[in-house]
Amino acid sequence: MASLQTPASGNPAQVPSGQGGETSQQGPPPKILTFKQASKKVPRPEYNATLNGIAFGGSYQKQIEANGFLADIRVRVTVSGGVGTTTAAVLAADAPWNIIDSINFFAPGGGSPLLTLTGYNLYLATTFGGYRYGDPVNFPSYVGVDAGGNFQFTLCIPVEIIRRSGIGLLENLNSGSLFSVQINFAGDATVYSTAPSPTVGTIGVQLMTNNYTQPSPKSTTGLTQETIPPLFGTTQYWTQQASSALTGTASYTSMRVGNVIRNLILKTTQSGVRVDALPDPFRVTINNKDWKVWTPTNLKDHNYEVYKDVATVPTGVYIIPLTTDFDGHPGDEIRSQWLPTTTATKLQFEGNWGSTATVLEVITNDIAVVGDYLNRWVG
């Protein structure tokens, strides 16, 4: 599991010239084109980042080519060349996603990663993070495991936070200062409960980016155009942290505070296996005051209500969605549910965990915000 990273002291530098923001979205329609109206979406395979023949347990690191304002990175993982004529492959729990032992996404200049997750947790972020991606099992690129242990899937590294407006898009215009992706792969004994025989395959990786061009200050018809996204420089992070074994009445304190929290995904395991094991009742407190109180059944029902059109929430996974204030569905939110925190905020998860040792993993999506995110709305 990737190590816990504390919130960055500031956003990655984002300083291209031009104007942008949310003021153009308010009141009567002005004679100005917003960034999303003026920009063009540019998908591109990162051919310089294609690599095949990686052994299980190996690693991969590549830079992302400069190409406008980065919206997301699609990570396609394939396993090929496996042969299971003697013994057919059987995937382990959390596979195929757990073939990624850890994945890190870095802004130019390095420092703390913007995203540092296991492959399974990136699957949860892709599916339930409120980006409207859907369940990767339903992507056309998904191919389930065969007898030889071969499979393929695509996961998404989100950069853009709100697709309607472009909040969260980050500048990727300088070929001398590039974003990068680093992946550590698990061994075959982690991915398969029964490995294929006689041959275990090898891993391939292909990165695909979605970008937006930088508009000129004037359109071809003379209208003023925004040249940078709204709340420009606003940057999101995805991190994970896990408790020690919890038994009896106990609380776990999140160390991931100091920014604005957009998503909290919780995962409970016993002896390394995901099980539904939240306390009843389960309390989330802020500075020793109740913020959310559920029974586990109530929370599961709420998750079903929110995510029934996206995917079935897995066993041992509970989501505290803060992205449903636009239309009741996750994503494209207007930000009124986001949770501001400071470095002094005490965010705790509490209850009676019973006699069986339970590990609580907290997957946090938090945002270093530029500007006034609560009182200004983007359509």
Side-chain angles (χ1 to χ4, degrees):
M1 178 179 297
S3 60
L4 172 66
Q5 301 290 334
T6 56
S9 58
N11 299 325
Q14 300 286 313
V15 292
S17 61
Q19 63 176 11
E22 297 186 290
T23 54
S24 63
Q25 302 277 348
Q26 300 173 347
K31 292 185 177 180
I32 181 172
L33 295 179
T34 67
F35 177 87
K36 271 300 187 77
Q37 291 172 323
S39 181
K40 299 292 185 287
K41 190 174 184 178
V42 182
R44 185 172 69 177
E46 298 289 316
Y47 291 110
N48 71 330
T50 300
L51 190 63
N52 294 300
I54 305 170
F56 281 80
S59 61
Y60 164 95
Q61 184 163 1
K62 291 293 180 181
Q63 292 183 315
I64 303 301
E65 296 177 27
N67 193 31
F69 291 83
L70 185 61
D72 62 39
I73 304 169
R74 312 296 173 102
V75 182
R76 183 184 177 197
V77 174
T78 63
V79 173
S80 60
V83 179
T85 52
T86 302
T87 304
V90 179
L91 291 179
D94 295 350
W97 326 108
N98 71 350
I99 193 173
I100 297 176
D101 185 63
S102 64
I103 183 166
N104 296 280
F105 170 54
F106 294 94
S112 297
L114 305 186
L115 178 146
T116 176
L117 296 174
T118 64
Y120 186 78
N121 289 350
L122 181 57
Y123 164 75
L124 295 177
T126 299
T127 307
F128 302 109
Y131 305 107
R132 313 262 176 162
Y133 293 133
D135 186 344
V137 170
N138 296 324
F139 290 2
S141 60
Y142 180 83
V143 178
V145 67
D146 64 15
N150 306 301
F151 56 81
Q152 65 183 50
F153 63 79
T154 301
L155 295 176
C156 303
I157 297 175
V159 178
E160 183 180 35
I161 303 166
I162 300 177
R163 191 178 297 182
R164 289 180 299 114
S165 61
I167 289 176
L169 291 170
L170 295 180
E171 179 210 349
N172 185 29
L173 296 167
N174 184 353
S175 60
S177 183
L178 299 173
F179 292 89
S180 64
V181 174
Q182 191 271 330
I183 303 174
N184 295 313
F185 290 103
D188 62 279
T190 297
V191 179
Y192 304 106
S193 59
T194 302
S197 177
T199 307
V200 174
T202 58
I203 303 167
V205 181
Q206 168 74 67
L207 302 185
M208 174 99 180
T209 58
N210 283 304
N211 312 269
Y212 285 88
T213 60
Q214 184 170 33
S216 60
K218 295 287 185 181
S219 72
T220 55
T221 59
L223 291 176
T224 299
Q225 300 186 137
E226 292 183 339
T227 59
I228 57 175
L231 302 183
F232 182 63
T234 293
T235 305
Q236 70 172 321
Y237 298 83
W238 278 94
T239 57
Q240 59 197 19
Q241 61 180 112
S243 72
S244 57
L246 299 170
T247 56
T249 301
S251 64
Y252 178 60
T253 302
S254 172
M255 300 303 294
R256 188 71 195 187
V257 292
N259 284 333
V260 177
I261 295 175
R262 177 177 180 265
N263 275 302
L264 288 167
I265 301 177
L266 311 179
K267 191 168 68 175
T268 52
T269 58
Q270 293 176 348
S271 300
V273 178
R274 279 187 292 107
V275 294
D276 290 336
L278 278 189
D280 185 0
F282 174 64
R283 317 183 85 89
V284 185
T285 65
I286 298 174
N287 298 330
N288 298 317
K289 295 181 179 180
D290 285 344
W291 177 50
K292 308 280 188 182
V293 181
W294 284 286
T295 70
T297 300
N298 290 154
L299 184 51
K300 281 289 188 180
D301 284 351
H302 179 59
N303 284 175
Y304 170 78
E305 176 186 352
V306 171
Y307 295 102
K308 63 180 180 292
D309 297 326
V310 179
T312 299
V313 178
T315 298
V317 174
Y318 305 83
I319 306 163
I320 302 176
L322 306 176
T323 64
T324 60
D325 53 348
F326 180 60
D327 60 2
H329 297 282
D332 284 341
E333 68 269 20
I334 57 176
R335 310 187 298 283
S336 64
Q337 295 176 336
W338 290 4
L339 175 65
T341 67
T342 70
T343 54
T345 298
K346 187 178 182 182
L347 176 63
Q348 293 185 296
F349 307 90
E350 304 177 353
N352 189 328
W353 300 85
S355 59
T356 303
T358 301
V359 172
L360 174 68
E361 188 168 12
V362 180
I363 305 161
T364 305
N365 172 210
D366 60 278
I367 302 170
V369 180
V370 170
D372 182 355
Y373 75 97
L374 281 176
N375 297 321
R376 304 167 80 185
W377 181 79
V378 171

